[in-house]
């Protein structure tokens, strides 16, 4: 031992350890950067089950109400179409992935015929709402937009019974709100063929509707967890459609849009935390989801969530005439409870 300089072996070991740790950080940072940069979602082949609405060629789109809009807190335009009905029975209706409020025509008309005033909205990043197709400005902005919509349209006035309804990815968004901090915005919730999570038993792993850049999502989630909201505008999901990005279709989603739309990794806790009247309605022949698993899942996590299975109906069939009628019947019962 060198009495004047301490233990040289110890100092050398500490130095080597610091060098190794530094090298590991460099390697890990490089790997993270590489994944973020190059892990694009691939383009899947078009899938009719999520892309082609049965009978849409015969729809009369002249029946679509004109587009209206409100300004969100950031000044961006949020679009909606109004199907007027009873002023004290309001449904805010959310479309599915890649779509807009226009594809909710038949469902909106069925709810209107059942007595509801229907506000068929186009979420930010869809249907001309917001500033960028397939993107939002920050995670959680869709929640804030919903608050702005309710307040701007004065849907929160006394005597109005409010339902938030949504289809597919929009149904998942409905459940997100129902189990989140803004649950009091609505009196009840209606999730139609809802996407819950990739690891939910309701999800068919071979559904084929979306290509997901999982490594990029993991990398961006790590950064987000560290408080670094970097590169969140990058695409992480590409849907199985040939549609181009325009005011009717949104084929690619950014990380922050996906994170704003879905229930998240703690989806079980979100569902278990729902306290408002909530119903899920699913077609028995859904090609993307396991219809028989919705009842089992609801009973295991939150028995207050009711489930209705519509015999003989497919995924997109739930927003056509027959499926829409079943949804409207479920809403009528829900709104009278």
């Amino acid at each position: 031992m060198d009495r004047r300089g301490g233990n040289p072996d110890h100092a050398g070991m500490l130095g080597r350890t610091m060098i190794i740790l530094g090298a590991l950080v460099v390697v890990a940072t490089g790997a993270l950067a590489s994944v973020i940069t190059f892990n694009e979602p691939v383009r899947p082949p078009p899938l009719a089950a999520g892309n082609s609405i049965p009978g849409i060629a015969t729809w009369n789109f002249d029946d679509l109400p004109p587009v209206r809009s409100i300004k969100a807190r950031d000044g961006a335009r949020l679009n909606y179409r109004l199907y007027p009905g009873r002023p004290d029975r309001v449904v805010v209706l959310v479309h599915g992935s890649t779509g807009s409020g226009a594809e909710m025509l038949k469902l909106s008309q069925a709810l209107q015929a059942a007595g509801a005033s229907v506000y068929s909205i186009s979420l930010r990043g869809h249907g001309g709402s917001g500033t960028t197709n397939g993107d939002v400005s920050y995670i959680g902005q869709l929640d804030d937009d919903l608050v702005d919509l309710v307040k701007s349209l004065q849907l929160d006035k006394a005597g109005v019974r409010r339902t938030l309804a949504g289809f597919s990815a929009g149904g998942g968004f409905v459940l997100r709100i129902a189990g989140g901090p803004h649950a009091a915005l609505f009196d009840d919730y209606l999730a139609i063929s809802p996407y819950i999570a990739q690891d939910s038993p309701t999800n068919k792993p071979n559904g084929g509707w979306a290509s997901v850049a999982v490594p990029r999502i993991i990398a961006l989630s790590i950064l987000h967890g560290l408080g670094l909201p970097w590169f969140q505008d990058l695409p992480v999901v590409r849907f199985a459609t040939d549609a181009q990005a325009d005011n009717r279709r949104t084929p690619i989603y950014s990380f922050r849009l996906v994170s704003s739309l879905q229930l998240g990794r703690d989806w079980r806790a979100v569902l278990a935390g729902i306290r408002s009247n909530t119903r899920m309605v699913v077609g028995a022949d859904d090609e993307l989801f396991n219809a028989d698993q919705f009842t089992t899942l609801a009973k295991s996590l939150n028995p207050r969530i009711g489930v209705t299975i519509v015999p003989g109906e497919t995924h997109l069939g739930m927003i056509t005439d027959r499926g829409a009628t079943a949804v409207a019947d479920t809403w009528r019962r829900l709104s009278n409870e």
Side-chain angles (χ1 to χ4, degrees), residues 131-260:
T131 57
T132 306
N133 189 282
D135 193 18
V136 297
S137 299
Y138 58 86
I139 294 175
Q141 192 169 31
L142 296 183
D143 302 45
D144 291 343
D145 286 347
L146 195 61
V147 173
D148 294 345
L149 182 90
V150 169
K151 293 187 179 301
S152 180
L153 296 176
Q154 299 182 340
L155 303 182
D156 54 349
K157 60 187 177 184
V160 175
R161 176 129 185 185
R162 298 175 300 280
T163 302
L164 181 63
F167 168 68
S168 197
F173 180 68
V174 164
L175 297 172
R176 169 192 172 98
I177 297 297
H182 299 301
L185 273 178
F186 295 89
D187 298 289
D188 40 61
Y189 293 87
L190 182 58
I192 307 149
S193 307
Y195 173 77
I196 292 176
Q198 188 70 23
D199 59 337
S200 168
T202 58
N203 196 56
K204 289 183 179 178
N206 59 347
W209 175 228
S211 168
V212 183
V214 175
R216 177 178 278 179
I217 288 178
I218 293 172
L220 293 175
S221 297
I222 291 172
L223 289 180
H224 185 73
L226 294 173
L228 303 173
W230 299 343
F231 314 115
Q232 294 185 354
D233 60 326
L234 290 175
V236 296
V237 175
R238 183 185 288 267
F239 292 97
T241 174
D242 284 331
Q244 301 300 307
D246 57 26
N247 282 353
R248 292 287 293 271
R249 300 302 298 273
T250 305
I252 301 174
Y253 283 8
S254 71
F255 174 81
R256 56 195 178 196
L257 175 57
V258 169
S259 299
S260 297

